[in-house]
Structures are given as C-alpha cells and as structure tokens.
Amino acid sequence: MKFGMNLLLWTGELSDQMVPILETLKNMGFDGVELPLFNTGLDYAAWGKRLDDLGLARTSVTVRGEADNPISPDPAVRAKGIENTKRAVDCAQAAGASALVGPFHSALGYFSGAGPTADEWKRGVESMRPVAEHAAQAGVVLGLEAVNRFECYLANTMADLTRFARDVDHPNCRVMYDTFHSHIEEKSIPDAIRVCAPVLCHVHISENDRSTPGQGNVRWKENFDTLKEVGYDGWLMIEAFGLALPELVAATKIWRRMYQSEEQLARDGLAFMIAQYAQRW
C-alpha cells in the first residue's frame, strides 16, 4: 500500500511556492502526491525530476468541462475533449505519474437536465477508447471516477462506472474509488467496492465534508474492510478541498474552512490511513 496526498488542497497548478509543502509532506511520511493537471503548458518533466529528488512518487488528476465535454453531441467539442485528455496523459508521462485519474469521462459541473442517454453513453465510450490507446503507449493507467449526482450525471455509482470501463474494453482504462462520492450515492459500500474490484486501480480517501479523513461520517470500517477483502494494495490518496481553488468551487461547493490548517489535515489524515492499514493488512 502507498499513502499519498492530493495537492488540490493547496493549488490547481504546480509552482515554486509548492516546494516547501512538498518537502513537508515527504517529512510527514507520505509516499507520494497527486498532481493537478489542469494547465498542460507547464514543464512537467522538470517537476518529475524535482519530485524524484524529494523521493515522492506521484499520480495525477484532471477533469473535463462543458467546452471539451467528451459526451457532447458536437463532434468538435468531443474532439477537443479527446485532445485535452491525451495532452494530460502526456503531462502525466512527463512527470513520471503512474496514473491519470478523475471524472474526465464527461463534463464536471454541467447538466443536461436529465440522466445520461444511450447516445451520450456511446459517445463517451467512443471518446475514451483513443485516450486509452494513447495512455497505453505512454505507460499511464486511466482511473475513471464516479462522481455524485450534484457534480455530474454520466456515472454516479461504481456499478455504472465499471460498466462504462468494460464497454471501453481496454486494459489501460480502469476505475478509481472515492469514499466521498460513494458515501452519497451507494446503497452498500461493500457491494460498490466488490463490483469494481476487477478493474480498480486507485482509491481517494475523502471525508463526507471533504475535510480531515477519519473525523466525519464516512463508513470507514466498511470501506477499509472491503478494500482488504478484495485484495486492494495500491494508492490510498487523501483528497480534501479548501478555499484555494476558485476554478473548482462551482463543482466542489466548498465555501468554508473545515480544518485547522492544511498541515493538520495532511498529518491527521496520514495517521488515520496508517492506523486503518495496520489494523487489517
């Protein structure tokens, strides 16, 4: 098992100001970090070297929006979505990230006013196949994310997401599991993890209020017991949000500070994950 911290708690874009934070995370005992890949114009190869020097492994995360929605009826918009996700894959490869995760199967925060249609599902699958092929060439695994109904509508549950990945039918197109979204959408946490287990590649550890893991209402025992049951041994990546990301406020709905400090959240979250791991694995 590897323990990581998503950098979206601090920033949506890597900069020199993040270096002291990265050093702190390493000193806390984190194995790696999750890099936001929203600005694909940065020198990610240089960042990969800096992270190597710090001894931090990494994964990466990206999203799509209305302007590059992979399920849009407009072929030009879908093409832009494919292009932008391929570019994010290239950035992940340059940074030495093993995976690119997130809800990039469709637009985050955009709604049609109804559930997904058969045509939207088909367009999403067709858009993802060339991305998966590109990811295979780059040596990057795609970890698609099921997101709650208030943030997207294509895939809200792990059963739906797993079906989507199976329809894409490519070994580099897999799924990730997020404790925050499952807390909202799933009838059964064990069943949600079991259904996706054959294609599961990544886990976000996220509290029900997006704050410090272990200090809220997520059914942690069910989550960790079932991850152990299915033999999961990849990344446990804390994902929490503060007020640093105005570009994601519309989707994440974070209006208030719900922790003492980012350092407190990271330290307590890591201790919580390690304690849960020690009890089971």
Side-chain angles (χ1 to χ4, degrees):
M1 198 75 75
K2 299 183 287 293
F3 304 101
M5 184 76 210
N6 190 309
L7 298 182
L8 289 174
L9 180 61
W10 292 271
T11 184
E13 180 175 314
L14 291 169
S15 67
D16 289 342
Q17 285 71 36
M18 284 299 299
V19 173
I21 294 167
L22 292 168
E23 292 171 344
T24 297
L25 293 174
K26 176 61 180 178
N27 291 335
M28 282 182 185
F30 281 97
D31 298 306
V33 293
E34 193 149 276
L35 310 178
L37 294 184
F38 304 150
N39 180 356
T40 56
L42 302 181
D43 187 347
Y44 286 99
W47 274 107
K49 184 178 186 309
R50 292 173 107 171
L51 291 162
D52 280 341
D53 291 343
L54 285 169
L56 287 169
R58 50 268 181 204
T59 60
S60 59
V61 60
T62 197
V63 299
R64 298 276 67 81
E66 184 179 357
D68 57 358
N69 186 358
I71 68 171
S72 169
D74 186 335
V77 173
R78 295 200 303 276
K80 188 175 182 183
I82 293 169
E83 176 188 352
N84 287 347
T85 308
K86 283 183 176 180
R87 188 175 294 123
V89 167
D90 292 340
C91 293
Q93 179 190 37
S98 57
L100 176 68
V101 306
F104 48 86
H105 43 66
S106 58
L108 187 67
Y110 169 77
F111 298 91
S112 67
T117 66
D119 285 343
E120 285 176 319
W121 187 273
K122 181 173 181 286
R123 290 194 291 263
V125 169
E126 291 175 349
S127 293
M128 194 59 63
R129 284 184 180 136
V131 176
E133 291 168 4
H134 188 76
Q137 294 169 5
V140 174
V141 174
L142 303 178
L144 302 179
E145 183 174 10
V147 176
N148 72 78
R149 80 197 86 152
F150 308 108
E151 297 183 39
C152 92
Y153 66 95
L154 184 72
N156 301 130
T157 68
M158 295 311 299
D160 285 343
L161 185 70
T162 299
R163 179 167 64 91
F164 185 89
R166 293 197 185 283
D167 285 355
V168 175
D169 193 23
H170 192 287
N172 279 66
C173 182
R174 304 183 71 186
V175 306
M176 60 154 287
Y177 174 77
D178 185 293
T179 59
F180 168 82
H181 297 297
S182 66
H183 179 79
I184 297 172
E185 295 295 339
E186 302 291 352
K187 293 288 190 185
S188 164
I189 295 301
D191 287 350
I193 295 172
R194 289 169 188 145
V195 76
C196 74
V199 287
L200 179 64
C201 70
H202 194 66
V203 172
H204 275 173
I205 299 297
S206 190
E207 192 51 90
N208 70 286
D209 65 351
R210 293 294 206 179
S211 186
T212 309
Q215 297 184 10
N217 293 320
V218 166
R219 294 178 178 179
W220 290 112
K221 185 178 186 302
E222 290 185 11
N223 277 280
F224 284 107
D225 283 352
T226 313
L227 288 170
K228 165 64 175 176
E229 173 195 311
V230 301
Y232 181 76
D233 63 354
W235 282 101
L236 296 178
M237 186 71 64
I238 295 175
E239 185 185 53
F241 293 100
L243 303 176
L245 291 169
E247 64 268 36
L248 285 184
V249 162
T252 59
K253 305 296 190 294
I254 301 297
W255 314 119
R256 68 193 192 277
R257 187 183 185 89
M258 292 175 283
Y259 48 86
Q260 296 171 18
S261 68
E262 289 83 1
E263 184 174 327
Q264 168 267 314
L265 190 158
R267 179 177 288 108
D268 290 352
L270 177 60
F272 173 70
M273 292 192 299
I274 290 174
Q276 296 298 316
Y277 174 79
Q279 291 173 20
R280 294 169 175 83
W281 278 268

